[in-house]
Amino acid sequence: MKPDLSASTLAGVLPLESGRQELPSALPALTVLGHPDLSRIGDQAFLGALARGREAWLSRDRPDFSPPGAVTGEPLSDPFLSRAPLRFAPLDDGSVCLHLDGSRTRVTIEGDPVEEARTLSAAELEEGAVLVLSERIVLLLQRRPPPLPSTGETGERFGLIGESAGIEAVCRAIERVAPLSTAVLLRGETGTGKELAARALHEHSPRASRPFLSVNLAAVPPSLAAAELFGSRKGSYTGSVGDRPGYFALADGGTLYLDEIGEAPPEVQAMLLRALESGEVMPVGDPAPRKVDVRIVSATDTDLETAIRQGTFRSPLLHRLSGYLIRLPPLRQRREDIGRLLVHFLRIELERIGDTLPPRVAAGGEPWLPAGLVARLARYAWPGNVRQLQNVARQLAIDGHGQRVLLDTPGLADLMPEVEPPSRLSSSVAVAVVPPPVLPSSGRRRSRRPSDVSEEELIAALRSHRWNLKAAADVLGVARTSLYLLLERSPSVRPAADIPPEEIRQAWERCGGDLEAMAGGLEVSERALRQRLKDLKLR
């Protein structure tokens, strides 16, 4: 569906001028992360008026929120929200100020209560800010691309849950390359869904009726690699009592998924390279090679470019595997999907223990999914990504079985450690780990003054969270606005705009255009670097 003035995603805000159909590349939008009616989670409202320099409002009765791709929607309609609207006012620097204007709706933003007004900077809107309304409804305010033309499939294409720009890009990439036999390299942090994407590539290809086999190369001993991958003849080695087909032969005509390709030992890399270059495999003990027709899909969370520079990974093998690249986004970069993912996993985990999601809560009833819990999950950095969120959902489902509301149990503290370990996709430089601020029982972070944060602590937090400002602010216990002030004053931090173009171009070539690797090496935020690359016309 082409976004237009009649779409419910733009309802409740001032329309564009007559005859103007063009929208900015990103619009302020509200996404429902938590609602007493679980079916409303994931609904969106695009505040197009703010993009045109006009005010927008939020109340019980407006704007309309609609499921992605839907033509019609409805307001939040919770009786605990005031009909007197909250007012969003755009500012000249790209920030937005939320005014309560006497509304009785209680509002917190990123866990901090709003007394009269709160300004959200342009950077905060890019990362997304979590709003809680009257301790019942959780919204994410962020800038995001306007709705794309509807494909008739929303939310669960290829088993990937969500409507974020990152997941939309992954789905479109799968649609483009699945029908081909091109080798595909899936890159992304652990737990982002690489195997799910690999299966989608196979199931939506002409090879779908043929085998899909998965092998974890990190678990293949070099001494057995040839037999495991290519097969062996009877008596070819001690203990070989019969002919044995390898993974390549078993997957003939289908797809072979090579997981953890970055952890493959050098001997295994050499074997794979020969097989990929020739299209033939040589079973152990067999003098004749065998032709195989196998599509290779590989995956890694390792920084392969750094591994090549260190001599632990073969550059020709990377080129063979990278016929087409798909990058799976980390969960912290698709926060608008957290609500839908949570409900999806809760449904699965409840079914496993013979339970179901509760029926629709009556108007004014107590939410089964507490807003405070959802907000806590939405503010978390998720180092383990979607897999970690599923583990949290399992804990919640089991602990909340038979309960009137889900319980925020002590077990969540172990599943959601406050300090995120450095990613294997980021800079290889060792960094100190910052102890997390002590959290009170309510789950909100301890508030600290910027003057309490040392320079060393600031830099360590930024490095350990790959310069994700929201995550760094959370672990330091300061507001993001305070973090921006610390960055301006820090002698150790340089803005992406101040990095010489030549240095950025060298980093681009060194990292092969890998944004995360570049940001880690240059020590700047990915968002700021992305804009700098656009300015230099490198992206």
Side-chain angles (χ1 to χ4, degrees), residues 33-45:
L33 301 183
H35 193 287
D37 180 357
L38 299 181
S39 68
R40 300 299 308 276
I41 293 177
D43 287 2
Q44 303 168 349

Side-chain angles (χ1 to χ4, degrees), residues 360-392:
R360 182 170 181 168
V361 176
E366 184 178 13
W368 174 76
L369 188 56
L373 173 60
V374 175
R376 176 184 173 189
L377 301 183
R379 295 196 301 266
Y380 187 62
W382 297 108
N385 294 295
V386 177
R387 185 181 298 125
Q388 184 185 11
L389 177 59
Q390 183 169 15
N391 291 339
V392 167

Side-chain angles (χ1 to χ4, degrees), residues 77-389:
S77 304
D78 189 272
F80 284 79
L81 303 186
S82 173
R83 284 193 167 89
L86 309 170
R87 176 169 56 93
F88 292 99
L91 303 177
D92 292 339
D93 61 356
S95 59
V96 169
C97 187
L98 173 63
H99 298 269
L100 300 192
D101 286 346
S103 172
R104 295 182 182 178
T105 299
R106 300 186 305 281
V107 182
T108 65
I109 297 180
E110 293 296 315
D112 299 322
V114 179
E115 301 299 335
E116 295 181 358
R118 163 74 150 80
T119 297
L120 294 118
S121 69
E124 287 180 294
L125 293 175
E126 287 295 323
E127 291 195 16
V130 178
L131 282 65
V132 180
L133 309 181
S134 296
E135 299 179 6
R136 293 177 61 82
I137 291 176
V138 184
L139 303 174
L140 183 71
L141 174 63
Q142 63 179 159
R143 292 191 188 278
R144 56 176 303 178
L148 291 169
S150 176
T151 62
E153 299 178 277
T154 61
E156 298 187 20
R157 279 182 294 163
F158 310 119
L160 298 169
I161 307 298
E163 298 291 340
S164 62
I167 284 300
E168 177 65 27
V170 170
C171 289
R172 289 179 180 265
I174 292 174
E175 288 173 348
R176 285 191 292 266
V177 76
L180 311 177
S181 291
T182 305
V184 177
L185 176 61
L186 302 170
R187 302 189 70 164
E189 297 175 13
T190 180
T192 50
K194 295 187 290 295
E195 184 166 358
L196 196 63
R199 290 186 178 276
L201 286 165
H202 173 74
E203 292 168 0
H204 292 78
S205 76
R207 300 171 179 264
S209 62
R210 303 293 295 162
F212 174 90
L213 293 183
S214 173
V215 54
N216 186 333
L217 292 178
V220 177
S223 59
L224 299 178
E228 290 284 329
L229 294 171
F230 309 132
S232 60
R233 302 290 290 177
K234 179 181 178 180
S236 58
Y237 59 90
T238 303
S240 175
V241 296
D243 291 352
R244 176 183 179 184
Y247 282 106
F248 273 81
L250 292 170
D252 194 16
T255 302
L256 182 58
Y257 175 53
L258 303 178
D259 195 13
E260 300 287 0
I261 187 69
E263 301 301 315
E267 301 90 337
V268 176
Q269 293 178 38
M271 297 176 192
L272 285 173
L273 183 57
R274 286 195 298 270
L276 296 178
E277 287 177 339
S278 66
E280 297 178 338
V281 298
M282 182 75 77
V284 178
D286 194 330
R290 172 179 175 178
K291 270 284 186 184
V292 290
D293 174 24
V294 175
R295 184 189 194 169
I296 299 297
V297 178
S298 52
T300 184
D301 61 356
T302 299
D303 182 348
L304 295 181
E305 289 75 17
T306 297
I308 289 172
R309 292 195 298 273
Q310 295 173 346
T312 58
F313 197 82
R314 290 172 172 254
S315 177
L317 179 58
L318 175 58
H319 297 153
R320 284 285 178 181
L321 298 172
S322 304
Y324 189 82
L325 174 66
I326 299 178
R327 184 173 293 281
L328 280 295
L331 186 55
R332 64 183 174 277
Q333 292 180 3
R334 43 181 294 220
R335 300 169 72 196
E336 61 268 47
D337 294 335
I338 287 177
R340 293 201 59 224
L341 282 165
L342 176 62
V343 172
H344 171 76
F345 289 136
L346 285 172
R347 181 183 292 109
I348 291 174
E349 299 302 333
L350 287 170
E351 288 175 353
R352 286 178 176 169
I353 59 177
D355 205 347
T356 60
L357 289 173
R360 182 170 181 168
V361 176
E366 184 178 13
W368 174 76
L369 188 56
L373 173 60
V374 175
R376 176 184 173 189
L377 301 183
R379 295 196 301 266
Y380 187 62
W382 297 108
N385 294 295
V386 177
R387 185 181 298 125
Q388 184 185 11
L389 177 59

Side-chain angles (χ1 to χ4, degrees), residues 1-26:
M1 179 187 71
K2 183 177 181 178
D4 56 32
L5 303 185
S6 63
S8 62
T9 48
L10 294 178
V13 299
L14 292 177
L16 305 181
E17 294 87 339
S18 176
R20 289 189 63 185
Q21 296 295 319
E22 293 185 2
L23 292 173
S25 59

